[in-house]
Amino acid sequence: MNYSIIFKVLSLLLLVIALAFSACAGVSFMYADSPIESAALETWICLIALSSMFSFALYLPSRNAPKKLFRKEALCIIGLGWILISLVGSIPYILILDCPFADAFFESSSGITTTGASVFGDFSEFPKSLMFWRCLSHWIGGLGIVVFFVAILSFLGAGGRILYSRESSVNSGGGLETERIRSGTMKILYLYLSISALCLLSFKLAGMGWFDGICHMFSTVSTGGFSVYEDSIAHYDSLLINWVVIIFMFIGGISFAAILPIVRLDFKKILASGEFWTYFLLIFCWGTLISLIITDDMSGETFGESITHSFFQTVSLITTTGFASTDYQSWIPATHVMLFGLMIIGGCAGSTSGGIKVSRLVGSFKLCRRQIEHAFRPKVVRNVSLNGRTIDENDATDILSYVVLYALAILIAFTALAIFEPNLSFQGCISALITTVGNVGPGFGEVGPDKTYAFMAGHSKMLLSVLMIMGRLEFYAVIALFMPSLWKKFE
């Protein structure tokens, strides 16, 4: 294990957080005439100094670390990195709001993992700078997920060889080529910034103020879900703003590897992307069906409002954003089942969204179909392809093992949460787990779109926080940290 490169990358992550805290301090300075904001400004300055100091302390002994990154170090960096950022990100909540550590860690983990679940239902005591940090943490986490997964995790198994873009490459020694990683990362960064700028401009033209627009841009592009209002996007009561959010949530749920061909009008690659078209058809069919159901059921809404709310919630939940344009729990139970299924599926692989991913859904279906056919035609050899590439046996094992691991994690956590929260309903318990592991945010029952996780005990919040991080990193990077073989000097 090359500890020096791990410390070096972690020091850079702390530097990024210091820069983010600097932006929050800038917001605090702009609104310093408020007593709450004036007190918060001092806290941000202390946090900038603290995170910079720790960054320097990690960088100093590791500044001469080798540039080659191996799989073990990559997994370690990703797992430790998200845990470290979640811990550091919780400090502003503790110092500014004087809230318990479990609440602060839950909120921070929810932000960095782009989950959007919250323990806060009243924002009256929130300074604008802290509200800015909540949404900014989404944007940082969304960018980090795409960069790490496309540039690094695409070569670490977990279905990566078939699910993620091959922007970087592995040499025969198992290392990742720095130049290819840098090239792929810069492409993703430019695309992410471009989409963010376009989203912000669209919000401004739709009638949002600059502060609201920036915060909601952070949450929309990253498919996070934090809002500056307790009633989320429903606060604006604007169909135009709803459709702007729908469009950019939809984009956020597409693989960045698939967005590039769309931008270049490369129709051959667009048509070959089975994952993209499955994602599109799921949204179109589910949104249309839900709109027909709620149009008959909701007599107080116009047809245009029903269409908007149905597609808004469909896109919001399949992309695991978690924004709410209305209280979907008030819809009839049939829609709850449909929306619950979308929470489990999630968006496209290599995007900022969570869930199992559409690629794994399509891949698992095709593999199961092949096995069923093999039961009565054992001599037939049929290749299974996904996104124009053939799924080999290693990819098939990776895909199916992830689905099994996802189910086992839900089953074990379900038992633990039921013990921790004996009065939590079955609906609330299972949806709390699905929405945290899948990084969705709101669920059903006690954790519905108009409710928070504040009622839960501290240990329950810590459990769900860990599940958010595990789900965001697709389990492997966190579970691997507890395997002794990872820390050995030689493989």
Side-chain angles (χ1 to χ4, degrees):
M1 177 69 73
N2 184 358
Y3 292 102
S4 59
I5 195 169
I6 295 174
F7 290 152
K8 188 173 183 178
V9 176
L10 292 180
S11 72
L12 295 177
L13 290 177
L14 284 174
L15 183 60
V16 169
I17 296 300
L19 293 173
F21 287 163
S22 298
C24 296
V27 173
S28 187
F29 181 77
M30 291 174 59
Y31 297 95
D33 53 338
S34 165
I36 297 177
E37 203 65 71
S38 179
L41 179 57
E42 297 178 3
T43 302
W44 291 118
I45 293 172
C46 292
L47 288 171
I48 294 168
L50 185 66
S51 52
S52 300
M53 181 181 66
F54 279 108
S55 174
F56 182 73
L58 287 175
Y59 179 79
L60 193 61
S62 61
R63 61 188 182 280
N64 296 321
K67 294 183 178 180
K68 184 176 289 187
L69 185 67
F70 290 85
R71 297 166 187 254
K72 291 172 66 173
E73 286 83 4
L75 271 177
C76 187
I77 287 168
I78 294 170
L80 290 178
W82 250 260
I83 294 171
L84 177 64
I85 294 175
S86 297
L87 287 170
V88 175
S90 66
I91 300 176
Y93 299 104
I94 296 172
L95 297 182
I96 295 175
L97 298 179
D98 193 26
C99 66
F101 171 74
D103 287 11
F105 186 67
F106 183 97
E107 200 76 9
S108 177
S109 301
S110 181
I112 293 297
T113 60
T114 71
T115 301
S118 181
V119 293
F120 300 111
D122 181 9
F123 296 158
S124 60
E125 296 183 1
F126 270 64
K128 284 186 176 293
S129 57
L130 187 60
M131 195 71 72
F132 183 84
W133 165 242
R134 289 177 81 238
C135 299
L136 178 60
S137 64
H138 273 335
W139 193 81
I140 294 171
L143 176 60
I145 282 297
V146 173
V147 169
F148 275 127
F149 271 75
V150 175
I152 298 177
L153 277 193
S154 55
F155 300 94
L156 299 178
R161 286 180 296 276
I162 197 71
L163 299 180
Y164 297 104
S165 168
R166 296 176 181 266
E167 292 291 346
S168 53
S169 62
V170 180
N171 60 28
S172 58
L176 307 182
E177 295 180 6
T178 305
E179 291 302 321
R180 297 292 297 277
I181 291 177
R182 185 180 296 114
S183 173
T185 301
M186 292 310 296
K187 289 179 183 178
I188 295 166
L189 179 60
Y190 293 146
L191 184 59
Y192 196 75
L193 291 173
S194 300
I195 294 172
S196 300
L198 186 59
C199 180
L200 175 58
L201 179 62
S202 301
F203 279 144
K204 182 61 180 175
L205 293 176
M208 278 193 190
W210 283 113
F211 181 81
D212 286 12
I214 291 172
C215 289
H216 285 109
M217 175 272 289
F218 287 150
S219 298
T220 304
V221 173
S222 64
T223 61
F226 277 154
S227 175
V228 296
Y229 300 105
E230 290 91 342
D231 51 354
S232 191
I233 301 298
H235 172 85
Y236 296 99
D237 193 23
S238 167
L239 295 185
L240 177 58
I241 288 178
N242 285 347
W243 279 104
V244 171
V245 175
I246 290 171
I247 291 170
F248 284 97
M249 286 192 299
F250 175 80
I251 294 173
I254 303 174
S255 168
F256 274 67
I259 294 177
L260 288 171
I262 294 173
V263 172
R264 296 168 183 163
L265 299 180
D266 188 344
F267 296 106
K268 185 178 180 180
K269 285 189 176 181
I270 296 171
L271 292 173
S273 179
E275 180 187 36
F276 170 77
W277 291 111
T278 303
Y279 170 71
F280 176 81
L281 287 173
L282 279 171
I283 291 174
F284 179 78
C285 295
W286 255 240
T288 302
L289 186 55
I290 291 175
S291 66
L292 293 175
I293 293 173
I294 67 173
T295 297
D296 292 336
D297 185 61
M298 303 292 287
S299 58
E301 292 187 348
T302 64
F303 180 71
E305 289 173 336
S306 298
I307 286 283
T308 300
H309 291 316
S310 62
F311 273 93
F312 188 101
Q313 294 308 149
T314 297
V315 177
S316 178
L317 295 181
I318 194 172
T319 61
T320 69
T321 306
F323 275 141
S325 62
T326 186
D327 181 10
Y328 56 77
Q329 276 205 124
S330 63
W331 297 349
I332 62 174
T335 62
H336 298 176
V337 176
M338 297 172 68
L339 293 175
F340 188 76
L342 295 178
M343 291 179 182
I344 297 174
I345 296 170
C348 299
S351 70
T352 58
S353 59
I356 291 178
K357 302 293 191 304
V358 175
S359 278
R360 288 196 180 93
L361 175 71
V362 175
S364 298
F365 175 79
K366 289 184 175 181
L367 290 168
C368 290
R369 184 179 62 183
R370 184 183 68 176
Q371 290 303 108
I372 293 171
E373 183 182 17
H374 184 72
F376 60 88
R377 300 180 68 186
K379 294 184 178 180
V380 173
V381 178
R382 193 179 302 280
N383 291 329
V384 175
S385 62
L386 181 62
N387 294 336
R389 301 190 185 106
T390 300
I391 300 178
D392 60 26
E393 290 306 313
N394 288 330
D395 296 323
T397 301
D398 288 337
I399 291 171
L400 295 177
S401 64
Y402 177 84
V403 175
V404 171
L405 185 59
Y406 179 93
L408 285 174
I410 294 293
L411 179 62
I412 294 171
F414 180 76
T415 305
L417 187 61
I419 295 172
F420 292 162
E421 300 291 335
N423 295 319
L424 187 62
S425 68
F426 178 86
Q427 183 186 42
C429 188
I430 193 66
S431 66
L433 294 171
I434 294 294
T435 57
T436 50
V437 172
N439 306 121
V440 182
F444 294 95
E446 295 93 330
V447 293
D450 60 338
K451 297 178 176 64
T452 71
Y453 290 73
F455 68 92
M456 290 189 177
H459 44 273
S460 300
K461 293 170 186 173
M462 293 299 294
L463 169 65
L464 296 179
S465 300
V466 173
L467 290 174
M468 288 183 220
I469 298 173
M470 291 179 66
R472 180 75 280 181
L473 302 182
E474 305 203 333
F475 300 106
Y476 295 92
V478 176
I479 296 175
L481 296 177
F482 298 94
M483 299 186 68
S485 58
L486 178 74
W487 303 99
K488 291 181 180 178
K489 185 175 182 180
F490 302 104
E491 295 185 2

